[in-house]
Amino acid sequence: MHLSDLKTGEKAYIVKVKGHGGFRKRIIEMGFIKGQEIEALLSAPLQDPVKYKVMGYEVSLRRQEAEQIEVSYERLRSVDESPMTSTSTPRDQQHASSGVKEITIALVGNPNCGKTSLFNFASGAHEHVGNYSGVTVDAKEGYTHFGGYRIRLVDLPGTYSLSAYSPEELYVRKQLVDDTPDVIINVIDASNIERNLYLTTQLMDMHLRVVCALNMFDELEMRGDKLNVDKLSSLLGMPMVPTSFKTGRGLDLLLSEVIHIFESREGHDEYYRHFHIKHDHEIEDGINNIQKYLKGNELLRLRYSTRWLAIKLLEMDKEVDAILRELPDYDKIIEARDTAVRRIKEETGDDSETAIMDAKYGFIRGALHEAGYVVGVKEDTYKTTHKLDALITNRWVGFPIFFFILYLMFEVTFILGQYPMDWIEMGVDQLGSMIGDMMAEGPLKAMLIDGILGGVGSVIVFLPQILILYTFISVMEDSGYMARAAFIMDKLMHGMGLHGKSFIPLIMGFGCNVPAVMATRTIESRRSRLITMLVLPMMSCSARLPIYIMITGAFFTARYQSLVMISLYVVGIALSVIIARVLSIWVIKGEDTPFVMELPPYRFPTAKAIFRHTWEKGKQYLKKMGGVILVASIIVWALGYFGTMGVAPSLEESFIGLLGKAVEPIFTVQGFDWRLDVSLIAGVGAKEIVASTIGVLYGDSAYNFSQLTAYCFLLYVLIYFPCIATIAAIKQESGSWRWAIFAAIYTTVLAWIVSAAVYQIGSCFLA
Ligand code: GDP
Ligand code: MG
């Protein structure tokens, strides 16, 4: 509980003080030390502030301040039994010898530096590890126990900086400021240390408790780099621990440093002290002038480091600007900033943002130099990478390689997947005949065999193929190839009004549209993000595969099956290009922000990671099977079994027949009959249901439509309403129902138009 929850007259014991360093320091100086008894004496008429008694003093705290202090009714084992023996003042003593408590750690770092690997090692969690930015779109939480503490780990999305440039950066910043983790582990890719430390300097500005994990230390050693870690650590005033989360090396040391930082007091030793990066005098003057106005505001000081606010303001940060806009002195603050910005421009020739950045990089270079940093020449991870890249991103062979890999992916998926698919099919059939023999005729048997087995069975057979497809995608992601694919596709993507980065979500869309929509978060420009999201449903997800296989298998000879299948994918891609163009020219206007595309070094993906990722996806698929699809299959079966007069004599007279008949006129242009219409309606929940519904509705009877209709039906399935989950994801990511509804409508209308046109034109030729 928080101190703010304490009622007048109640007593409790302080557990910990949260918030950034400046606030903690002040409050600890006032006597708010772990284990101290505190009593709420009386509150002001409006419940704010409240007067407390601690260590014999009476202090009044604002509600917001009190919220930052955690207390407990239970007395912890005493804090300073012998405070006088300590060299520091007893009131500053924070060492606790008390029982199990919780520490919250946030993992912050650049994309691909190994945060998720660390997270998995520490928490044993099953979380996908990817080799391009954006796999982690949300904060993932896990737990571990260490040194008498229960440690809560939060894996945050990767960011290069904490300016409010991309939604991820904003998100991470918000987590750091609002959720005030106790300690931050800044994960650094040590083989790329200079750039990684930039983020560290921003954490320093924010005055947070930071421990650095110098990850990928194995690569640094392999290359023969020289670095005095202790020296660097003391220069930056934060503990640094060499780690490698390929093997888990350094994890224990890292966690003990975290606990050490948590328990000790800032300035306690040279590895834990607050450090200002000194800027040139004109920048420092600007910071000081702005800070003057901020320091007077207690509420502001409580939540933020004023130096950080001042620096951010000089960097023209919109979010910080919005925070400060509430202040009475806002005009004067902005005046101070503008003066500073002008001076900086005059004296350095740069805008303030660049000047601050330069100073930070200068600081980093200086610190690295002092720590004796020398890049080794032995085994450059980038050497192989450069060689490979020369080939893979080559203008002539890059595309052929890429398309070959895609081709290979689909071939293997279909050919190799056929075997287990046959086995499962046989198993389902046998199960069906077993139940058939055992049970008496009646609705229950019909439901089991025709409803559940017919519906779920016709979809579950695709599990092997889906697993194979996901294995491919995981390998491409984890090895770093996916980032190259984005790189070589960049130009084409620009032609569509998209970014190269849009390509990754688009490819992921072949697996499932839902995570793909979520992956669009990595695209900095809102415009490109929206367009990518909206064209994603054109990417034929694996849920559509069962229908394709089912229909092409029945209507086309083996020679043409693959061709038909590929044509559907191609139509989807072509449509996405056209739609993206249309959207970018007429619907979603605006400027694109430039961006950097990260090309991480190639890494051999670990079998464990690949297995994990693939399994996670498979689990999701099975869950869908047990949930939505099971329910839908039973509903479809029931609607087909019963009619207005009890058990329907034939399908046509059942409820579903009536429903199908009702919408039939809409689809006569395509030649769909009512059974196809019904399965399309049922497929709104999830596209697999189209296949399972056809399975239920046709049963053993033969299909009664032409090849042309069959193809148009496939086109319709490809294009129309993606599925409820995708629409929900679009709503969530775009932040409004508007775009979600837009996506739902445009896809359905387009599907009707395309399938009608193909049918009408096609029948002229075939007639
Ligand atoms: P995140 O984006 O920060 O979450 O990074 P990930 O945890 O997804 O890791 C990115 C890639 O780096 C994966 O392929 C990991 O297997 C690999 N990796 C992580 N830590 C290390 C390490 O210490 N050494 C090496 N060589 N590779 C690592
Ligand atoms: Mg991650």
Side-chain angles (χ1 to χ4, degrees), residues 505-530:
L506 290 179
I507 280 285
M508 282 174 75
F510 288 123
C512 175
N513 287 182
V514 177
V517 169
M518 293 187 340
T520 57
R521 276 196 202 178
T522 46
I523 306 165
E524 279 94 355
S525 130
R526 180 179 154 75
R527 178 166 172 265
S528 292
R529 209 160 58 232
L530 255 181

Short mmCIF file of all heavy atoms in Angstrom, two decimals, residues 505-530:
data_model
loop_
_atom_site.label_atom_id
_atom_site.label_comp_id
_atom_site.label_asym_id
_atom_site.label_seq_id
_atom_site.Cartn_x
_atom_site.Cartn_y
_atom_site.Cartn_z
N PRO A 505 5.88 -6.27 -41.25
CA PRO A 505 4.49 -6.61 -40.91
C PRO A 505 3.77 -7.27 -42.08
O PRO A 505 2.99 -8.21 -41.86
CB PRO A 505 3.85 -5.26 -40.59
CG PRO A 505 4.96 -4.36 -40.25
CD PRO A 505 6.18 -4.87 -40.92
N LEU A 506 4.03 -6.80 -43.29
CA LEU A 506 3.32 -7.37 -44.43
C LEU A 506 3.66 -8.86 -44.58
O LEU A 506 2.78 -9.68 -44.83
CB LEU A 506 3.64 -6.61 -45.71
CG LEU A 506 3.05 -5.20 -45.78
CD1 LEU A 506 3.43 -4.50 -47.06
CD2 LEU A 506 1.54 -5.22 -45.63
N ILE A 507 4.94 -9.19 -44.43
CA ILE A 507 5.33 -10.60 -44.54
C ILE A 507 4.73 -11.40 -43.38
O ILE A 507 4.22 -12.50 -43.55
CB ILE A 507 6.87 -10.73 -44.54
CG1 ILE A 507 7.40 -10.41 -45.92
CG2 ILE A 507 7.31 -12.11 -44.13
CD1 ILE A 507 7.17 -11.51 -46.93
N MET A 508 4.77 -10.78 -42.21
CA MET A 508 4.18 -11.47 -41.06
C MET A 508 2.69 -11.72 -41.29
O MET A 508 2.12 -12.67 -40.76
CB MET A 508 4.35 -10.64 -39.80
CG MET A 508 5.72 -10.72 -39.21
SD MET A 508 5.90 -9.58 -37.83
CE MET A 508 4.97 -10.42 -36.57
N GLY A 509 2.09 -10.85 -42.09
CA GLY A 509 0.67 -10.98 -42.38
C GLY A 509 0.33 -12.30 -43.05
O GLY A 509 -0.78 -12.80 -42.94
N PHE A 510 1.31 -12.90 -43.72
CA PHE A 510 1.06 -14.20 -44.33
C PHE A 510 0.85 -15.27 -43.26
O PHE A 510 0.19 -16.26 -43.51
CB PHE A 510 2.22 -14.61 -45.24
CG PHE A 510 2.26 -13.81 -46.51
CD1 PHE A 510 3.39 -13.10 -46.85
CD2 PHE A 510 1.16 -13.78 -47.34
CE1 PHE A 510 3.42 -12.34 -48.02
CE2 PHE A 510 1.19 -13.03 -48.51
CZ PHE A 510 2.32 -12.31 -48.85
N GLY A 511 1.44 -15.02 -42.11
CA GLY A 511 1.20 -15.95 -41.01
C GLY A 511 -0.15 -15.67 -40.38
O GLY A 511 -1.07 -16.47 -40.46
N CYS A 512 -0.25 -14.48 -39.79
CA CYS A 512 -1.52 -14.10 -39.18
C CYS A 512 -1.57 -12.58 -39.20
O CYS A 512 -0.59 -11.93 -38.88
CB CYS A 512 -1.60 -14.62 -37.75
SG CYS A 512 -3.07 -14.07 -36.86
N ASN A 513 -2.68 -12.02 -39.59
CA ASN A 513 -2.80 -10.57 -39.68
C ASN A 513 -2.73 -9.87 -38.33
O ASN A 513 -2.34 -8.71 -38.24
CB ASN A 513 -4.14 -10.19 -40.35
CG ASN A 513 -4.14 -10.47 -41.85
OD1 ASN A 513 -5.10 -10.19 -42.53
ND2 ASN A 513 -3.05 -11.02 -42.38
N VAL A 514 -3.12 -10.59 -37.28
CA VAL A 514 -3.23 -9.90 -35.98
C VAL A 514 -1.87 -9.44 -35.43
O VAL A 514 -1.68 -8.25 -35.18
CB VAL A 514 -3.98 -10.79 -34.96
CG1 VAL A 514 -4.03 -10.11 -33.61
CG2 VAL A 514 -5.38 -11.07 -35.46
N PRO A 515 -0.90 -10.36 -35.26
CA PRO A 515 0.41 -9.86 -34.80
C PRO A 515 1.03 -8.91 -35.81
O PRO A 515 1.80 -8.03 -35.44
CB PRO A 515 1.25 -11.14 -34.66
CG PRO A 515 0.55 -12.18 -35.42
CD PRO A 515 -0.90 -11.81 -35.41
N ALA A 516 0.69 -9.09 -37.08
CA ALA A 516 1.25 -8.21 -38.11
C ALA A 516 0.76 -6.79 -37.90
O ALA A 516 1.53 -5.84 -37.99
CB ALA A 516 0.85 -8.73 -39.49
N VAL A 517 -0.51 -6.64 -37.61
CA VAL A 517 -1.04 -5.30 -37.35
C VAL A 517 -0.32 -4.71 -36.14
O VAL A 517 0.07 -3.55 -36.12
CB VAL A 517 -2.56 -5.34 -37.10
CG1 VAL A 517 -3.05 -4.01 -36.56
CG2 VAL A 517 -3.31 -5.70 -38.37
N MET A 518 -0.07 -5.55 -35.15
CA MET A 518 0.61 -5.04 -33.96
C MET A 518 2.05 -4.66 -34.26
O MET A 518 2.58 -3.72 -33.68
CB MET A 518 0.54 -6.07 -32.84
CG MET A 518 -0.89 -6.20 -32.40
SD MET A 518 -1.31 -7.19 -30.97
CE MET A 518 -0.02 -8.24 -30.69
N ALA A 519 2.66 -5.37 -35.20
CA ALA A 519 4.06 -5.09 -35.54
C ALA A 519 4.22 -3.77 -36.29
O ALA A 519 5.32 -3.27 -36.42
CB ALA A 519 4.65 -6.23 -36.35
N THR A 520 3.13 -3.18 -36.77
CA THR A 520 3.26 -1.90 -37.47
C THR A 520 3.71 -0.80 -36.52
O THR A 520 4.07 0.28 -36.96
CB THR A 520 1.93 -1.46 -38.10
OG1 THR A 520 0.93 -1.39 -37.09
CG2 THR A 520 1.49 -2.41 -39.19
N ARG A 521 3.69 -1.07 -35.23
CA ARG A 521 4.14 -0.05 -34.27
C ARG A 521 5.56 0.41 -34.49
O ARG A 521 5.93 1.49 -34.03
CB ARG A 521 4.09 -0.64 -32.86
CG ARG A 521 2.75 -0.53 -32.25
CD ARG A 521 2.87 -0.74 -30.79
NE ARG A 521 1.59 -1.16 -30.25
CZ ARG A 521 1.40 -1.47 -28.99
NH1 ARG A 521 2.40 -1.40 -28.16
NH2 ARG A 521 0.22 -1.83 -28.57
N THR A 522 6.37 -0.41 -35.15
CA THR A 522 7.76 -0.01 -35.34
C THR A 522 7.90 1.07 -36.40
O THR A 522 8.98 1.62 -36.56
CB THR A 522 8.59 -1.19 -35.82
OG1 THR A 522 7.88 -1.83 -36.86
CG2 THR A 522 8.87 -2.15 -34.71
N ILE A 523 6.86 1.32 -37.16
CA ILE A 523 6.96 2.32 -38.22
C ILE A 523 6.74 3.69 -37.60
O ILE A 523 5.70 3.95 -37.01
CB ILE A 523 5.91 2.04 -39.31
CG1 ILE A 523 6.06 0.60 -39.81
CG2 ILE A 523 6.05 3.03 -40.45
CD1 ILE A 523 4.87 0.12 -40.60
N GLU A 524 7.76 4.55 -37.75
CA GLU A 524 7.69 5.82 -37.06
C GLU A 524 6.57 6.71 -37.58
O GLU A 524 5.88 7.37 -36.83
CB GLU A 524 9.02 6.58 -37.16
CG GLU A 524 10.07 6.13 -36.17
CD GLU A 524 10.98 5.09 -36.78
OE1 GLU A 524 10.70 4.68 -37.93
OE2 GLU A 524 11.95 4.68 -36.11
N SER A 525 6.44 6.75 -38.91
CA SER A 525 5.47 7.69 -39.45
C SER A 525 4.06 7.15 -39.32
O SER A 525 3.75 6.04 -39.72
CB SER A 525 5.80 7.98 -40.91
OG SER A 525 4.67 7.84 -41.71
N ARG A 526 3.22 7.96 -38.72
CA ARG A 526 1.85 7.52 -38.46
C ARG A 526 1.12 7.20 -39.76
O ARG A 526 0.35 6.25 -39.86
CB ARG A 526 1.09 8.63 -37.73
CG ARG A 526 -0.35 8.24 -37.43
CD ARG A 526 -1.11 9.34 -36.69
NE ARG A 526 -2.54 9.23 -36.96
CZ ARG A 526 -3.34 8.32 -36.42
NH1 ARG A 526 -2.85 7.44 -35.60
NH2 ARG A 526 -4.61 8.27 -36.72
N ARG A 527 1.45 7.97 -40.76
CA ARG A 527 0.79 7.79 -42.04
C ARG A 527 1.12 6.42 -42.63
O ARG A 527 0.23 5.65 -43.00
CB ARG A 527 1.29 8.90 -42.97
CG ARG A 527 0.76 8.86 -44.33
CD ARG A 527 1.06 10.19 -45.00
NE ARG A 527 0.71 10.10 -46.39
CZ ARG A 527 1.58 9.80 -47.34
NH1 ARG A 527 2.82 9.54 -47.02
NH2 ARG A 527 1.18 9.74 -48.59
N SER A 528 2.40 6.10 -42.69
CA SER A 528 2.79 4.79 -43.21
C SER A 528 2.24 3.68 -42.35
O SER A 528 1.88 2.62 -42.84
CB SER A 528 4.31 4.66 -43.26
OG SER A 528 4.81 5.52 -44.22
N ARG A 529 2.19 3.93 -41.07
CA ARG A 529 1.69 2.91 -40.16
C ARG A 529 0.24 2.59 -40.49
O ARG A 529 -0.16 1.44 -40.62
CB ARG A 529 1.78 3.45 -38.74
CG ARG A 529 1.96 2.39 -37.70
CD ARG A 529 2.52 2.95 -36.41
NE ARG A 529 1.71 3.99 -35.83
CZ ARG A 529 2.16 5.18 -35.47
NH1 ARG A 529 3.42 5.48 -35.67
NH2 ARG A 529 1.37 6.06 -34.92
N LEU A 530 -0.55 3.65 -40.65
CA LEU A 530 -1.97 3.46 -40.94
C LEU A 530 -2.18 2.72 -42.26
O LEU A 530 -2.97 1.78 -42.35
CB LEU A 530 -2.64 4.82 -41.02
CG LEU A 530 -3.51 5.22 -39.85
CD1 LEU A 530 -4.12 6.58 -40.07
CD2 LEU A 530 -4.59 4.18 -39.59
#
